[in-house]
Amino acid sequence: MLLFTPGPTPVPESIRMEMARPTIHHRTPEFEACFKQAREGLLAMIKMPEVLMLASSGSGAMEACVRAFCAKKLLSINSGKFGERFAKIAQAYNIPNQEITNEWDTPVSVEAIINALQADEQIDAVCVQVCESAGGLRHPVEAIAQAVKQHNPDIMVIADAITAMGVEPIDTSHIDALIGGSQKAFMLPPGMSIIGLSQKAVLMAEERDVGFYFNLKTELKNQRNNTTAWTAPTTIITGLVKYFSDIEALGGMEAIYSQTRQRALATRVALEAIGLKIYPKAPALAMTTIFDEKHASQIRKILKNEFCLNLAGGQDRLKTSIFRINHMGMIPIHEALWVVNAIELALERLGVRSFDGRANAVFLQHYYS
Ligand SMILES: *Cc1c(COP(=O)(O)O)cnc(C)c1O
């Protein structure tokens, strides 16, 4: 069965083999050397002054950032389940919160955010997804961050890049906290989150000194010395070092970004060519989301039962009306190609369209020319 869900993504054999080696103790020079390599790889990737690795899924880092960087009131963007999560975190800690809510196919506008900030001077932090995975939507995060800082440089910008880090280059020049997760484009098992920090965020974390397990001040102090406050997710970190060396061998991050982009765009045009509809108005590169109220569930079932493909459905109100195809990670081109072929075959099984190999042809033309 090929795993094509937008997280967790499959863990490549080279990384699995690396992680199968004997566990090293986290308070040793060997592990510190490994931690240093992982840190340097991440810093080079996200181009920010600091980075932290935490033993938690992505939501743990979201919670840590809301607590560390919002002192008064949070503005969060709800265009899906993950944006909604920021508001739930605020509620759990009695942090006042305002939400901008849109349909799950609609990105937030820069104007809507600036209007909200102008209307309420209490707001001191803005949370937004780079890619909102509920619908595979790309928010204009870089433009939002720049406009927020122009409006007031003291307002903190927290970007959930869990399905963007490792997918595409992100301009982090105006972002204070950039969140990542091991189980998405890094192709690692679930269990580690990442937070890139601006200089301003570092100072604020140190000044505010909030929380215990997710205390970013404590982590900064330790991680600058290549160790962690609590037991590190050592196995995942050794896997991350292997990920960076595999990427180097494949031509570096830029090569991965460009392949991911080409694969995503080729998938999109191939599926449109066989009559399918792309769901979001601004599709992200991490995944392709197809909207088909009538057939989405059946297509997924056929792909699983007959063609060995595991794709994701939707959540909540979109549970049965969309399906999502992952593009994150180092995906062999023949696997991505098999996905569009199998979807075209599924449409024939459902009597929607007779098979003529069009998806395959369009994908290849687009990818190679
Ligand atoms: C996967 C994901 C998360 C994190 O979810 P966890 O289950 O806590 O790892 C957060 N935001 C987005 C956009 C995601 O895709």
Side-chain angles (χ1 to χ4, degrees), residues 6 57-60 62 82 85 129 131-133 160 162-163 183-184:
S57 83
S59 304
M62 292 167 75
F82 295 100
R85 190 165 299 174
Q129 272 58 40
C131 164
E132 168 52 81
S133 314
D160 167 0
I162 293 175
T163 44
Q183 81 276 29
K184 306 282 168 88

Side-chain angles (χ1 to χ4, degrees), residues 175-333:
I175 294 172
D176 292 297
L178 188 79
I179 303 168
S182 57
Q183 81 276 29
K184 306 282 168 88
F186 293 101
M187 309 194 89
L188 296 168
M192 188 174 80
S193 61
I194 294 154
I195 312 177
L197 298 171
S198 68
Q199 205 49 52
K200 193 175 178 67
V202 168
L203 294 175
M204 190 164 179
E206 288 175 341
E207 202 176 297
R208 282 177 48 78
D209 191 11
V210 289
F212 181 74
Y213 183 79
F214 287 128
N215 186 314
L216 303 187
K217 181 186 180 183
T218 318
E219 287 300 343
L220 277 163
K221 185 165 156 269
N222 282 280
Q223 297 198 19
R224 279 172 173 151
N225 293 317
N226 299 312
T227 186
T228 48
W230 326 118
T231 305
T234 49
T235 309
I236 300 180
I237 292 170
T238 53
L240 179 58
V241 172
K242 182 65 181 154
Y243 164 84
F244 283 125
S245 72
D246 283 358
I247 296 270
E248 255 339 282
L250 290 170
M253 267 336 289
E254 296 308 321
I256 299 301
Y257 292 151
S258 121
Q259 285 163 20
T260 304
R261 180 181 187 81
Q262 274 178 275
R263 238 183 8 254
L265 297 181
T267 303
R268 229 184 265 167
V269 292
L271 296 181
E272 281 178 322
I274 54 170
L276 292 169
K277 183 179 177 300
I278 305 295
Y279 175 67
K281 289 176 188 150
L285 294 169
M287 67 197 75
T288 293
T289 305
I290 296 295
F291 184 79
D292 187 341
E293 271 182 309
K294 201 160 161 219
H295 299 113
S297 296
Q298 285 167 293
I299 291 172
R300 276 184 65 222
K301 201 173 287 172
I302 295 171
L303 293 179
K304 197 165 197 170
N305 295 339
E306 295 187 44
F307 301 115
C308 287
L309 278 174
N310 187 357
L311 268 52
Q315 298 155 297
D316 284 6
R317 64 180 112 148
L318 290 181
K319 195 167 173 48
T320 57
S321 47
I322 61 167
F323 62 88
R324 294 171 297 158
I325 305 160
N326 174 53
H327 303 305
M328 293 179 281
M330 300 168 268
I331 300 173
I333 195 67

Side-chain angles (χ1 to χ4, degrees), residues 2 4 263 309 331-341 360 363-364 367-368:
L2 291 179
F4 260 88
R263 238 183 8 254
L309 278 174
I331 300 173
I333 195 67
H334 60 274
E335 290 186 6
L337 199 49
W338 175 239
V339 175
V340 298
N341 276 295
N360 189 312
F363 185 105
L364 287 173
Y367 193 84
Y368 288 105

Side-chain angles (χ1 to χ4, degrees), residues 75 77 100 108-118 126 128 144 148:
L75 176 67
I77 310 307
I100 298 177
V108 68
S109 70
V110 175
E111 296 73 40
I113 290 182
I114 299 304
N115 288 344
L117 296 181
Q118 275 163 351
V126 177
V128 61
I144 290 169
V148 168

